[in-house]
Short mmCIF file of all heavy atoms in Angstrom, two decimals:
data_model
loop_
_atom_site.label_atom_id
_atom_site.label_comp_id
_atom_site.label_asym_id
_atom_site.label_seq_id
_atom_site.Cartn_x
_atom_site.Cartn_y
_atom_site.Cartn_z
N GLU A 1 96.72 161.49 148.13
CA GLU A 1 97.08 161.93 149.48
C GLU A 1 98.57 162.19 149.58
O GLU A 1 99.39 161.58 148.88
CB GLU A 1 96.64 160.90 150.53
CG GLU A 1 97.14 159.49 150.32
CD GLU A 1 96.55 158.52 151.34
OE1 GLU A 1 96.21 158.93 152.46
OE2 GLU A 1 96.46 157.32 151.01
N ILE A 2 98.91 163.15 150.43
CA ILE A 2 100.31 163.41 150.75
C ILE A 2 100.63 162.59 151.99
O ILE A 2 100.07 162.81 153.06
CB ILE A 2 100.56 164.90 151.01
CG1 ILE A 2 100.27 165.72 149.74
CG2 ILE A 2 102.01 165.13 151.48
CD1 ILE A 2 100.35 167.22 149.95
N LEU A 3 101.52 161.61 151.83
CA LEU A 3 101.87 160.75 152.95
C LEU A 3 102.91 161.40 153.86
O LEU A 3 102.90 161.18 155.07
CB LEU A 3 102.43 159.42 152.43
CG LEU A 3 101.48 158.56 151.59
CD1 LEU A 3 102.21 157.32 151.08
CD2 LEU A 3 100.25 158.15 152.41
N LYS A 4 103.77 162.21 153.25
CA LYS A 4 104.89 162.75 154.03
C LYS A 4 105.56 163.89 153.26
O LYS A 4 105.78 163.77 152.07
CB LYS A 4 105.91 161.62 154.27
CG LYS A 4 107.11 161.96 155.09
CD LYS A 4 107.96 160.69 155.26
CE LYS A 4 109.16 160.92 156.14
NZ LYS A 4 109.94 159.66 156.32
N TRP A 5 105.83 164.97 153.97
CA TRP A 5 106.65 166.02 153.38
C TRP A 5 108.11 165.72 153.67
O TRP A 5 108.50 165.54 154.82
CB TRP A 5 106.29 167.39 153.95
CG TRP A 5 105.04 167.97 153.35
CD1 TRP A 5 103.79 167.96 153.89
CD2 TRP A 5 104.93 168.64 152.10
NE1 TRP A 5 102.90 168.56 153.04
CE2 TRP A 5 103.58 169.00 151.93
CE3 TRP A 5 105.85 168.97 151.10
CZ2 TRP A 5 103.12 169.68 150.80
CZ3 TRP A 5 105.39 169.64 149.97
CH2 TRP A 5 104.04 169.99 149.83
N ILE A 6 108.93 165.66 152.63
CA ILE A 6 110.37 165.50 152.81
C ILE A 6 110.98 166.86 153.11
O ILE A 6 111.78 167.03 154.03
CB ILE A 6 111.04 164.89 151.56
CG1 ILE A 6 110.39 163.55 151.20
CG2 ILE A 6 112.54 164.72 151.79
CD1 ILE A 6 110.45 162.50 152.29
N GLU A 7 110.55 167.85 152.32
CA GLU A 7 111.00 169.23 152.54
C GLU A 7 110.00 170.17 151.88
O GLU A 7 109.85 170.15 150.65
CB GLU A 7 112.40 169.44 151.95
CG GLU A 7 113.03 170.75 152.34
CD GLU A 7 114.48 170.89 151.86
OE1 GLU A 7 115.09 169.86 151.49
OE2 GLU A 7 114.98 172.02 151.88
N LYS A 8 109.29 170.93 152.67
CA LYS A 8 108.33 171.88 152.11
C LYS A 8 109.08 173.04 151.47
O LYS A 8 110.14 173.44 151.93
CB LYS A 8 107.40 172.39 153.22
CG LYS A 8 106.38 171.36 153.70
CD LYS A 8 105.38 171.99 154.68
CE LYS A 8 104.31 170.97 155.06
NZ LYS A 8 103.29 171.55 155.95
N PRO A 9 108.54 173.60 150.36
CA PRO A 9 107.23 173.30 149.76
C PRO A 9 107.31 172.42 148.52
O PRO A 9 106.30 172.27 147.83
CB PRO A 9 106.76 174.70 149.38
CG PRO A 9 108.03 175.38 148.91
CD PRO A 9 109.13 174.83 149.78
N ASP A 10 108.47 171.84 148.21
CA ASP A 10 108.63 171.26 146.87
C ASP A 10 108.89 169.77 146.81
O ASP A 10 108.89 169.19 145.72
CB ASP A 10 109.75 172.00 146.12
CG ASP A 10 111.12 171.82 146.78
OD1 ASP A 10 111.16 171.52 147.98
OD2 ASP A 10 112.14 171.99 146.08
N LEU A 11 109.10 169.09 147.95
CA LEU A 11 109.50 167.69 147.90
C LEU A 11 108.65 166.87 148.87
O LEU A 11 108.67 167.12 150.08
CB LEU A 11 110.99 167.57 148.25
CG LEU A 11 111.66 166.21 147.99
CD1 LEU A 11 111.64 165.87 146.50
CD2 LEU A 11 113.09 166.22 148.51
N ARG A 12 107.93 165.87 148.32
CA ARG A 12 106.99 165.12 149.15
C ARG A 12 106.83 163.68 148.66
O ARG A 12 107.25 163.34 147.56
CB ARG A 12 105.62 165.82 149.16
CG ARG A 12 104.92 165.83 147.80
CD ARG A 12 103.61 166.60 147.86
NE ARG A 12 102.80 166.45 146.66
CZ ARG A 12 102.78 167.33 145.66
NH1 ARG A 12 103.52 168.42 145.71
NH2 ARG A 12 102.00 167.12 144.60
N ILE A 13 106.18 162.88 149.51
CA ILE A 13 105.78 161.52 149.14
C ILE A 13 104.27 161.52 148.97
O ILE A 13 103.53 161.89 149.89
CB ILE A 13 106.17 160.48 150.21
CG1 ILE A 13 107.66 160.53 150.52
CG2 ILE A 13 105.73 159.08 149.76
CD1 ILE A 13 108.57 160.03 149.44
N ASN A 14 103.80 161.14 147.79
CA ASN A 14 102.37 161.08 147.49
C ASN A 14 101.91 159.62 147.36
O ASN A 14 102.70 158.74 147.05
CB ASN A 14 102.07 161.73 146.13
CG ASN A 14 101.46 163.11 146.26
OD1 ASN A 14 101.84 163.89 147.14
ND2 ASN A 14 100.54 163.44 145.37
N ARG A 15 100.63 159.42 147.60
CA ARG A 15 100.01 158.14 147.25
C ARG A 15 98.80 158.43 146.37
O ARG A 15 97.96 159.28 146.70
CB ARG A 15 99.56 157.38 148.50
CG ARG A 15 98.83 156.06 148.19
CD ARG A 15 98.62 155.25 149.46
NE ARG A 15 97.85 154.03 149.22
CZ ARG A 15 96.57 153.87 149.56
NH1 ARG A 15 95.91 154.85 150.16
NH2 ARG A 15 95.95 152.73 149.32
N ALA A 16 98.74 157.74 145.24
CA ALA A 16 97.61 157.88 144.33
C ALA A 16 96.94 156.53 144.16
O ALA A 16 97.61 155.53 143.93
CB ALA A 16 98.08 158.41 142.98
N CYS A 17 95.62 156.52 144.28
CA CYS A 17 94.84 155.29 144.10
C CYS A 17 94.02 155.44 142.82
O CYS A 17 93.29 156.43 142.67
CB CYS A 17 93.92 155.05 145.28
SG CYS A 17 94.77 154.96 146.87
N THR A 18 94.13 154.48 141.93
CA THR A 18 93.43 154.57 140.65
C THR A 18 92.23 153.63 140.62
O THR A 18 92.18 152.62 141.32
CB THR A 18 94.37 154.23 139.48
OG1 THR A 18 94.79 152.85 139.59
CG2 THR A 18 95.60 155.12 139.49
N ALA A 19 91.29 153.99 139.77
CA ALA A 19 90.09 153.16 139.59
C ALA A 19 90.42 151.94 138.75
O ALA A 19 91.46 151.87 138.09
CB ALA A 19 89.00 154.00 138.91
N SER A 20 89.52 150.97 138.73
CA SER A 20 89.68 149.83 137.83
C SER A 20 89.53 150.34 136.39
O SER A 20 88.94 151.38 136.14
CB SER A 20 88.65 148.74 138.13
OG SER A 20 87.34 149.25 137.95
N ALA A 21 90.08 149.57 135.45
CA ALA A 21 90.09 150.01 134.06
C ALA A 21 89.81 148.83 133.13
O ALA A 21 89.81 147.67 133.56
CB ALA A 21 91.44 150.65 133.72
N MET A 22 89.59 149.16 131.86
CA MET A 22 89.35 148.13 130.83
C MET A 22 88.22 147.19 131.24
O MET A 22 88.37 145.97 131.23
CB MET A 22 90.64 147.35 130.55
CG MET A 22 91.81 148.18 130.06
SD MET A 22 91.64 148.74 128.36
CE MET A 22 91.93 147.22 127.46
N LEU A 23 87.08 147.79 131.65
CA LEU A 23 85.90 147.03 132.04
C LEU A 23 86.20 146.02 133.15
O LEU A 23 85.66 144.91 133.18
CB LEU A 23 85.29 146.31 130.82
CG LEU A 23 84.84 147.23 129.67
CD1 LEU A 23 84.38 146.41 128.48
CD2 LEU A 23 83.73 148.17 130.14
N GLY A 24 87.09 146.43 134.05
CA GLY A 24 87.40 145.58 135.20
C GLY A 24 88.55 144.62 134.99
O GLY A 24 88.96 143.92 135.93
N LEU A 25 89.11 144.57 133.77
CA LEU A 25 90.26 143.69 133.52
C LEU A 25 91.45 144.11 134.37
O LEU A 25 92.25 143.27 134.79
CB LEU A 25 90.66 143.73 132.04
CG LEU A 25 89.83 142.90 131.06
CD1 LEU A 25 90.31 143.15 129.65
CD2 LEU A 25 89.93 141.41 131.40
N ILE A 26 91.57 145.43 134.60
CA ILE A 26 92.65 145.95 135.44
C ILE A 26 92.03 146.43 136.75
O ILE A 26 91.22 147.35 136.76
CB ILE A 26 93.40 147.10 134.74
CG1 ILE A 26 94.00 146.60 133.41
CG2 ILE A 26 94.48 147.66 135.63
CD1 ILE A 26 94.66 147.69 132.59
N SER A 27 92.38 145.78 137.82
CA SER A 27 91.81 146.11 139.13
C SER A 27 92.45 147.39 139.68
O SER A 27 93.46 147.86 139.15
CB SER A 27 92.03 144.95 140.10
OG SER A 27 93.41 144.68 140.24
N PRO A 28 91.89 147.99 140.74
CA PRO A 28 92.45 149.23 141.29
C PRO A 28 93.93 149.07 141.69
O PRO A 28 94.34 148.06 142.23
CB PRO A 28 91.57 149.49 142.51
CG PRO A 28 90.27 148.84 142.17
CD PRO A 28 90.64 147.60 141.42
N ARG A 29 94.69 150.12 141.39
CA ARG A 29 96.11 150.17 141.72
C ARG A 29 96.37 151.32 142.69
O ARG A 29 95.58 152.27 142.76
CB ARG A 29 96.95 150.43 140.47
CG ARG A 29 97.59 149.23 139.79
CD ARG A 29 96.67 148.15 139.42
NE ARG A 29 97.40 147.05 138.72
CZ ARG A 29 96.85 145.90 138.45
NH1 ARG A 29 95.59 145.65 138.76
NH2 ARG A 29 97.55 144.94 137.85
N ASP A 30 97.48 151.21 143.42
CA ASP A 30 97.97 152.39 144.12
C ASP A 30 99.47 152.53 143.87
O ASP A 30 100.17 151.57 143.55
CB ASP A 30 97.62 152.39 145.61
CG ASP A 30 98.46 151.44 146.44
OD1 ASP A 30 99.07 150.50 145.89
OD2 ASP A 30 98.50 151.62 147.68
N PHE A 31 99.93 153.79 143.94
CA PHE A 31 101.32 154.13 143.67
C PHE A 31 101.82 155.05 144.77
O PHE A 31 101.14 156.02 145.14
CB PHE A 31 101.45 154.85 142.32
CG PHE A 31 101.01 154.04 141.13
CD1 PHE A 31 99.66 153.97 140.78
CD2 PHE A 31 101.93 153.34 140.37
CE1 PHE A 31 99.26 153.22 139.68
CE2 PHE A 31 101.53 152.58 139.26
CZ PHE A 31 100.18 152.52 138.93
N VAL A 32 102.99 154.76 145.31
CA VAL A 32 103.62 155.62 146.31
C VAL A 32 104.83 156.27 145.63
O VAL A 32 105.79 155.59 145.27
CB VAL A 32 104.05 154.82 147.55
CG1 VAL A 32 104.85 155.70 148.51
CG2 VAL A 32 102.82 154.26 148.27
N ASP A 33 104.75 157.58 145.43
CA ASP A 33 105.73 158.29 144.62
C ASP A 33 106.42 159.43 145.36
O ASP A 33 105.77 160.17 146.12
CB ASP A 33 105.06 158.87 143.37
CG ASP A 33 104.52 157.82 142.43
OD1 ASP A 33 104.98 156.67 142.50
OD2 ASP A 33 103.63 158.15 141.62
N LEU A 34 107.68 159.58 145.08
CA LEU A 34 108.44 160.78 145.46
C LEU A 34 108.19 161.82 144.39
O LEU A 34 108.32 161.53 143.20
CB LEU A 34 109.93 160.43 145.54
CG LEU A 34 110.92 161.58 145.74
CD1 LEU A 34 110.74 162.21 147.13
CD2 LEU A 34 112.35 161.07 145.56
N ILE A 35 107.81 163.04 144.79
CA ILE A 35 107.48 164.09 143.82
C ILE A 35 108.26 165.36 144.14
O ILE A 35 108.24 165.86 145.28
CB ILE A 35 105.97 164.42 143.82
CG1 ILE A 35 105.16 163.19 143.39
CG2 ILE A 35 105.67 165.59 142.88
CD1 ILE A 35 103.66 163.43 143.37
N LEU A 36 108.93 165.88 143.12
CA LEU A 36 109.59 167.18 143.20
C LEU A 36 108.86 168.16 142.30
O LEU A 36 108.65 167.88 141.12
CB LEU A 36 111.05 167.06 142.75
CG LEU A 36 111.83 168.37 142.59
CD1 LEU A 36 112.06 169.04 143.94
CD2 LEU A 36 113.16 168.13 141.87
N VAL A 37 108.46 169.29 142.86
CA VAL A 37 107.84 170.36 142.07
C VAL A 37 108.93 171.38 141.75
O VAL A 37 109.68 171.80 142.63
CB VAL A 37 106.69 171.04 142.83
CG1 VAL A 37 106.15 172.23 142.05
CG2 VAL A 37 105.58 170.04 143.09
N ARG A 38 109.02 171.73 140.48
CA ARG A 38 110.11 172.63 140.06
C ARG A 38 109.56 173.68 139.10
O ARG A 38 108.71 173.37 138.26
CB ARG A 38 111.21 171.80 139.39
CG ARG A 38 112.37 172.61 138.86
CD ARG A 38 113.32 171.73 138.04
NE ARG A 38 114.33 171.08 138.87
CZ ARG A 38 115.32 170.35 138.36
NH1 ARG A 38 115.42 170.16 137.06
NH2 ARG A 38 116.22 169.80 139.17
N GLU A 39 110.07 174.91 139.23
CA GLU A 39 109.76 175.95 138.26
C GLU A 39 111.05 176.56 137.75
O GLU A 39 111.94 176.92 138.53
CB GLU A 39 108.88 177.05 138.85
CG GLU A 39 108.55 178.13 137.82
CD GLU A 39 107.51 179.14 138.26
OE1 GLU A 39 107.13 179.14 139.44
OE2 GLU A 39 107.06 179.92 137.40
N THR A 40 111.16 176.66 136.43
CA THR A 40 112.29 177.32 135.78
C THR A 40 111.74 178.39 134.83
O THR A 40 110.51 178.57 134.73
CB THR A 40 113.13 176.31 134.98
OG1 THR A 40 112.33 175.81 133.87
CG2 THR A 40 113.57 175.13 135.85
N ASP A 41 112.63 179.06 134.13
CA ASP A 41 112.18 180.04 133.14
C ASP A 41 111.42 179.37 132.00
O ASP A 41 110.60 180.00 131.34
CB ASP A 41 113.37 180.81 132.57
CG ASP A 41 114.01 181.74 133.58
OD1 ASP A 41 113.33 182.08 134.58
OD2 ASP A 41 115.19 182.11 133.40
N GLU A 42 111.70 178.07 131.79
CA GLU A 42 111.09 177.36 130.66
C GLU A 42 109.77 176.67 131.01
O GLU A 42 108.88 176.58 130.17
CB GLU A 42 112.05 176.30 130.12
CG GLU A 42 113.26 176.85 129.39
CD GLU A 42 114.35 177.35 130.34
OE1 GLU A 42 114.47 176.76 131.44
OE2 GLU A 42 115.03 178.32 130.00
N CYS A 43 109.65 176.17 132.24
CA CYS A 43 108.45 175.38 132.54
C CYS A 43 108.19 175.23 134.03
O CYS A 43 109.06 175.49 134.87
CB CYS A 43 108.55 173.99 131.91
SG CYS A 43 109.73 172.89 132.70
N LEU A 44 106.97 174.78 134.34
CA LEU A 44 106.59 174.28 135.66
C LEU A 44 106.48 172.77 135.52
O LEU A 44 106.01 172.27 134.50
CB LEU A 44 105.23 174.85 136.08
CG LEU A 44 105.17 176.35 136.36
CD1 LEU A 44 103.82 176.89 135.89
CD2 LEU A 44 105.34 176.62 137.84
N SER A 45 106.89 172.03 136.56
CA SER A 45 106.85 170.58 136.40
C SER A 45 106.69 169.84 137.72
O SER A 45 107.06 170.33 138.78
CB SER A 45 108.14 170.10 135.72
OG SER A 45 109.28 170.38 136.51
#
């Protein structure tokens, strides 16, 4: 989910929720991340 746009169209706050892993040894996690989308002549990122 996008929690908040800092500046459209390239800068936002995302939240990602992950499933449990390793047969349940690792319980579900969530991460709140600042994300910048960038394009240059060399790459998209």
Side-chain angles (χ1 to χ4, degrees):
E1 55 185 333
I2 297 174
L3 298 176
K4 182 178 183 178
W5 281 100
I6 304 301
E7 190 174 344
K8 287 187 175 183
D10 64 337
L11 192 63
R12 66 183 190 262
I13 304 290
N14 257 38
R15 177 170 176 256
C17 303
T18 64
S20 61
M22 300 287 287
L23 300 175
L25 281 176
I26 300 176
S27 59
R29 262 55 178 171
D30 75 341
F31 298 83
V32 174
D33 295 339
L34 172 67
I35 298 180
L36 172 68
V37 175
R38 178 188 273 185
E39 180 170 10
T40 66
D41 290 340
E42 289 79 32
C43 72
L44 293 144
S45 62

